[in-house]
Every structure is written in C-alpha cells, then in structure tokens.
Amino acid sequence: MRLSLAWLSEFVEVAVSPAELAERLTMAGLEVEAMETLAPEFRGVVVGQVRRVAPHPQADRLVVAEVTDGRRDYRVVCGAPNVAAGGLYPFAPPGAVLSGGRELKAATIRGVLSEGMLLAEDELGLSEDHSVIMELPPELPLGQDLGEALGLKDVVLEVAITPNRPDCLSVLGLAREVAALLRRPLRLPPTEVPEAETAIGEVARVTILDPVYCPRYAARLVEGLRVGPSPFWLRRRLTVSGLRAINNLVDVTNYVLLEQGQPLHAFDFDRLSGGEIVVRRPRPGEKSFVTLDGQERTLTPETLLICDREEPVALAGVMGGLESEVRPETRRVLIESAYFLPAAIRRTSKRLGLSTESSYRFERGVDPEGVIRALERAARLMAELGGGRVLKGRLDEYPTPIVRPRVALRLSRTNQVLGTAFSRREVEEVLTALHLPVVALDEEHLVVQVPSHRGDLEREIDLIEEVARLRGYEEIPVTLPGGSTAVPGAGPEVRVRQELRHLLVGMGFCEAVTYSFQSERLYGLLSPAEAPLKLANPLSEEQAVMRASLLPGLLEAAQRNLTRQADGVRLFEIALGFEAKPGEELPQERLLVAGVLGGAREEESWHGGGGTVDFFDAKGVVENLLLGLGIGEAEFTPEGLPGYLSYGARVRAGTSDLGVVGEPAPEILEALDLEAPVLVFELEVAALARAAQPFPLYTPLPRYPAVHRDLALVVDAALPAARVTAALYREGAPWLVEARLFDVYTGEQIPPGKRSLAFHLVYRDPRRTLTDEAVDRHHQKLVAALARELGAELR
C-alpha cells in the first residue's frame, strides 16, 4: 500500500517526521518497507496569468501572450490552442529549469522576442500529455512556486499490510492508525450529496438472488454527466498511488477505493437492460463472459455475477464487463458499492488468475458498514467533477445485517499476558484512541463493541494485542519467564533408536537419509501386490508415492556408490515407512531400521582382507544389533520370507516378528543395475523396543570350572540350525550354558537329504563342580531327547 503523506495530512495532523512516522507504524505492526521522497523535476516555474492574447504578426498558428507572475509582465510566444486571457498556467521565466534539466532562455521566434514559456504537463515531467498547456485552478496564488502550489513535494511510504488488516488498505484506514498512534483527532472527508428531485427508485432497481455470496449491495444514480479528463490533483494522487488515470468518472471510483478502501464500479446506466441490477450465479447456458480487458472468462456455478435484466455485466468483486463500461458518450452512471463474501471472490480470482485492486480488498474483507459512506463520497465527487446531478435516495439491499461481536476484556489477564501493570484508565484510553467503543463494567472488566471495519478482532487476546502495539512494545518490560519445567525421560523407542545408531556406526556403517517419496516403479520392486499410498500433488513422477520400506532408497544409494568405484558399501537408515490402512484417511507409520551391505567385505591389505559380503555378514550384523539391545533368544527362520528376497531369514524373538535379512531377488538387482553381491536387512524399531532388555543384567563370574563336550548330529538338511540350538538349550538346562555351532558338513558318509551339524557344548553348575560322570549322564539324556524331538542321530 503506497501512502502519500500529503493525502494523509488531510485526515490527520502528522506532527512527526516521515522517518519517525515510518518507525511508529512499523512498531505498531504496519511495516514500512520503503520511503520515497517526491520532488518536482523543474525549478523556477511559477503560477502565471495571461493578461492579453494577440495574434503573432508573422505566424498564423502562434499567438503573443502577455503573462504576469504578479511582479512583472512578460511577452511570451505560444502555439497552444487553449491559451486564453485571464487563465492561469505554469509559467517558466528565463532561467527556469524544465524537466530533463534544460534551462530556459529568452529567444526570438519568427521575429518576436519570447521572454519565457507557458508549459504543458510533459515539459514539467508530470505526464506525457503535450496536446495543450496545463490549465491551473483559478484559486492558486499568482507567482507562487508551481511545485508548492500543486503540492508536488511529497513523501510516499510503502506499507506492508498483513492479510488480517484489510481495514488498512486505504488512506483513511491508515489515517485512523496514525491518529491513534499520535493521539490526534481524525478528520473524515465530506460525504453529503445534493440530490435532484427525481427518486432513484423510479428508474432503477436492485435484486439479490444470492444473499450468501452478496450480503449487501447499494447503488446511486448520477445523470447529466460529461466524460472528460480528471483534474490534475486527482490524476496526481492516482499516479502517486500506482494507478493509471482514465477519465473523470472512472477515476472517481479508483480514488474512493484508495481513500476509503471500498471497491466501487461505475456502470453506463443506459446500457443496463431494464435499468435493473440482479446479483446471481450463472444460469444454465451462461458459459463465458467478456471482461473490461477484452478477455473471455469461463464461468462456473461458483462464480458470482452482476447482471442486468438479461445478461451478466460484471464479475462480482473482480472486474466489470466490456459492454457496460463508461464510454465518452456516457451520460448516466450507476455507482455500485457492495459487500461480497470474501471466500467467493477469492475462489473466482484464483481460478481465473485475475487479481485486481478490487478483488485484493474484497477477498480479505471490506467494511460492510462502509459501503454507504464510500457510495456517498463517490456520488458527491462524480457530480462535482462530471457536472451531473445525483438522483434522490439510494438503493440498498441488505437482507441480513452483519453483526459484529462484543468482546470482554479482563484487566488482570491483559497485564498477565503482557507482563505490565496498566490501569483501567490507561487501557480505556488505548481502546478509545483506536475508535473501539469500550464500556467499563468495573475496575476489572471491560466490554468492547467491535466496529464493523475491524474484522480481525474476535477474542480477548486480540484486544490485548491492540493494547500492546498501541502503547508500544518498548514499554513492555523485558523479563525472563519463571517456573520449572519437567522434561520427560526418553521412551524405549528413543533409547533403542540411539543404541541402534551407535551399534551400526561401530560396525562400520554410514547413516544415510533418503526421500520419503518414491517412484511407483521403485515402490513396485519390493511391494508389487500392495497398492501404493499416492500423493495428491507430487513434485514429480520420481516422488509420486509414500515409501513403505526404506530398502528401495538404500539400494539406490548403494548403486550410486558402487558404480562410482566404491569397493564396499555399508549404509543404514532409521526413518518412517508408510502403509495405507483400508478405510482410514491417514496412513500407518512404522519406524524402521534398515541396512544394505555390498561389495568387498573389508579392504585388502598385506595381512589379509578381500572377499565379498555374503548372507552371514548381514546375519552377523543383525545378531550384533540384537545382542547390543539385550535380545538374547532370537530365531532366524526361512519361513515367511517376503517375495523380494531370494535367500534369507525372518528374524523373530519369541512370538514377536522383528524383521527380515537376506539377499534381494536377481530381478530387483538387475532393475537397479546392481552387479556386486548385495545383502539387506530391515527391522521394526517398535518390535525391537518391546523385546529389548531395558537394563543389562549381570551375573557373577563363575566360581566352578566348566566341562566341555563336542556333539555332532545328523539331521534333515532342511532343519534350521537355530531350531537345533534352541532344543539344545531347552533340553540341556540347567547345566548347559553355551551351545556353539562350529561345523556344517555334507558329503561322504552323510545320507542324501541330511547334513551334519557339530556343536561345542559348555556345561557348568554355579553351586558345585561337575564330575565327568554326571555330565556324561546329562549329555546322554540330551542326545536322546534330540533324537525323539528332531530325529537327530549321533554321528
């Protein structure tokens, strides 16, 4: 919002410098982003009066004018068609400097000495018009500096208006704020309208068919008008504010928009069928509409239209129509002033990609009670500048008046929030200065009737903010907050996540961060049968679905590293996976830990190394993770493997399913262009947290020696070694403290479909020394139990 301080001074006395005013506005929440000083481009030009005009003796198109500046007379040769005796014009005597820096000197023109120049607006740098010399108002003092006479010296502030303060999108709205900040009275512009005898109701009519989208619509009719250029003061203010002058009638509507913040529209009344305005939605068959800019706009059922008796004439709150615009021959104008539902105007403006000064204000919300004030102001100015007369009365359709709330304010709450000690009188003074009607019920309680222009005030806290910003934030004492805070301890998942990160980094893994969004192609590699959770508005096809697993992103990262000649890759990630839940709006989120191993097992060196990773490297990583979390009894079983693993195991702890470890299927490796051996694992953190031992358990060092035995068993080749190990511990209790597999053999002396598993067993009793005889008996019972349960044979 560009704010002219010269214009602002008409409504409030500004007794501070522009820089200080900018600072005060900024501290009150109306940030001044820039300050521009305007000054005329000329020097030495004054208000001159033509006394007499005589023909040039040697040129038919030139005249010789006698010009006075109130101190002396000058002879000036002029060719402008509008120069006349008695008129006031900009006069540049010899020595004056014109726009562009040209200094004027006396010159002989066709044999006649010209002692100066009567100037057009382009020669003053005020516009591009050179058709006539500039005519000045007759009340200007003769000989006064032209810049001072026309008020060309000005300061313009660029004020950033937040979306919740549409009342400040006008000079009058900002003047209300300045008056409150400086504690100065606010002067309102005159709105009284001299009326003709004919009543508007005899010739015009307004009907609202959609009172939800258009709660209020008012109109005035001005007739006997003449379309022409606006006076300089009006054109100057529009230009300084960033608008282009068009003609006197249209410029009035734009001027009132800037002054009052209320968008208006001027219809050529003679082009309205039946003299009627109908506010409605499109009828069946009304598919498009041509706006003032000549563009054809597509209509939807949600578009609010301003229509005459037969067809649309404007897009409500956005832009008028081409057929009903003001033209040079216009003599009667219907002025529209309305309040439209902000959401409706916003939807239309965004859908059409058409933002105007009107839509910008309507979609933020204008003052429903300011509709009439702006209408009267526009009718008065249009009658003055267009030479017309205003018909008696106005049309004002307001089916359901909008009622603003009353908001209670507690003094104690105000001081508690702000950390101040304001008295009731001080708070009342602030609210009154802001033109907020306030009633004190007692020393503690105030009630404020929120005015119609302050749609942002709805709650007590809003009023407290008004007190703070008007009194000045610098008056609020700076204190540190007191009180004690209770910081909750980390939950089990947080502890497990930290421990997982520590363990994996200790095993040589690097943590990776991959996108939560994946392509459908990548998602389908691991979950072809599951419907992906698609994004409503993806950034690209490569990020179109939410990931259900961390493995696709890690495999891609491994592929990038391996193709760039990395010998070995060890990456892990701890992040969320997302799965769609049938019938649920939100997905199920699972915290996962996943890793990928690829390439060389370790770096080659003089003392060894080399070789590539295999399944048992990945399995060993998972076993170390489980051991670090205190999960002792874990089982690795090939049953229930997901389809994307060609070889591997599902990891279980008791009845809990922890995750999987294994080698991806060849088609997945081929799709990702992975050639080196690659192993993966993925575990669910919540399941790990449930199975983890929260605190490590310690046992004293053994006091008695152990007895060692080796045991070789022939079992079915499909029988997992983990199942045999579990049976050993179960049947060997309480003396068996360790059972470690150290050899697997198939070949000669082993029947087909069988294999030999060799275990090293450690027996110990914490209370006494075991004898060989006792261990042998216990060992034989263990072998017999394995034969019954697993069909194992002693090798």
Side-chain angles (χ1 to χ4, degrees), residues 385-402:
L385 302 181
R389 59 185 181 275
V390 183
L391 268 60
K392 185 177 181 180
R394 59 176 173 264
L395 302 175
D396 183 13
E397 291 296 315
Y398 198 7
T400 306
I402 298 174

Side-chain angles (χ1 to χ4, degrees), residues 257-310:
L257 176 142
L258 294 172
E259 180 188 80
Q260 306 274 336
Q262 171 66 44
L264 304 171
H265 188 70
F267 294 103
D268 186 333
F269 186 69
D270 293 320
R271 294 178 175 272
L272 298 179
S273 175
E276 185 175 1
I277 288 291
V278 181
V279 185
R280 59 174 174 83
R281 308 273 191 94
R283 293 170 178 166
E286 291 179 339
K287 302 297 183 182
S288 62
F289 175 72
V290 180
T291 49
L292 279 171
D293 55 3
Q295 300 295 316
E296 186 173 356
R297 311 288 181 176
T298 302
L299 303 180
T300 67
E302 294 295 313
T303 306
L304 187 65
L305 299 174
I306 309 300
C307 310
D308 59 16
R309 182 176 294 176
E310 297 178 355

Side-chain angles (χ1 to χ4, degrees), residues 517-719:
F517 307 143
Q518 298 175 347
S519 66
E520 290 195 57
R521 177 191 67 84
L522 198 60
Y523 181 94
L525 290 177
L526 269 65
S527 307
E530 299 178 10
L533 188 65
K534 297 183 178 181
L535 299 182
N537 187 23
L539 297 175
S540 67
E541 291 184 0
E542 294 300 313
Q543 297 180 341
V545 300
M546 300 290 287
R547 67 184 177 194
S549 169
L550 308 183
L551 293 179
L554 287 175
L555 286 170
E556 273 197 327
Q559 186 270 339
R560 282 193 295 270
N561 283 271
L562 291 171
T563 54
R564 285 162 176 77
Q565 299 182 344
D567 291 332
V569 173
R570 291 188 175 219
L571 300 175
F572 79 93
E573 183 175 12
I574 303 174
L576 291 174
F578 306 89
E579 294 183 357
K581 296 172 65 178
E584 297 287 340
E585 182 178 0
L586 297 177
Q588 179 183 2
E589 299 181 1
R590 297 188 305 142
L591 185 62
L592 305 170
V593 55
V596 57
L597 301 82
R601 177 177 290 114
E602 58 183 353
E603 186 178 354
E604 290 189 11
S605 66
W606 63 269
H607 59 77
T612 57
V613 295
D614 57 23
F615 168 75
F616 295 100
D617 292 292
K619 179 173 179 287
V621 169
V622 174
E623 287 176 335
N624 284 338
L625 291 179
L626 300 179
L627 184 62
L629 296 175
I631 304 175
E633 298 182 4
E635 178 185 3
F636 292 80
T637 173
E639 299 173 358
L641 275 184
Y644 60 82
L645 293 181
S646 62
Y647 178 79
R650 184 165 289 281
V651 186
R652 293 191 174 93
T655 58
S656 296
D657 190 354
L658 303 182
V660 294
V661 57
E663 182 178 353
E667 58 270 18
I668 294 178
L669 298 180
E670 182 179 355
L672 294 172
D673 197 22
L674 280 167
E675 297 180 358
V678 174
L679 283 302
V680 298
F681 65 87
E682 186 170 57
L683 308 172
E684 189 169 350
V685 175
L688 291 173
R690 288 191 298 269
Q693 186 72 38
F695 301 102
L697 298 179
Y698 293 94
T699 57
L701 293 174
R703 298 177 58 188
Y704 302 100
V707 177
H708 298 262
R709 294 284 189 273
D710 287 337
L711 176 66
L713 299 172
V714 177
V715 297
D716 290 339
L719 183 66

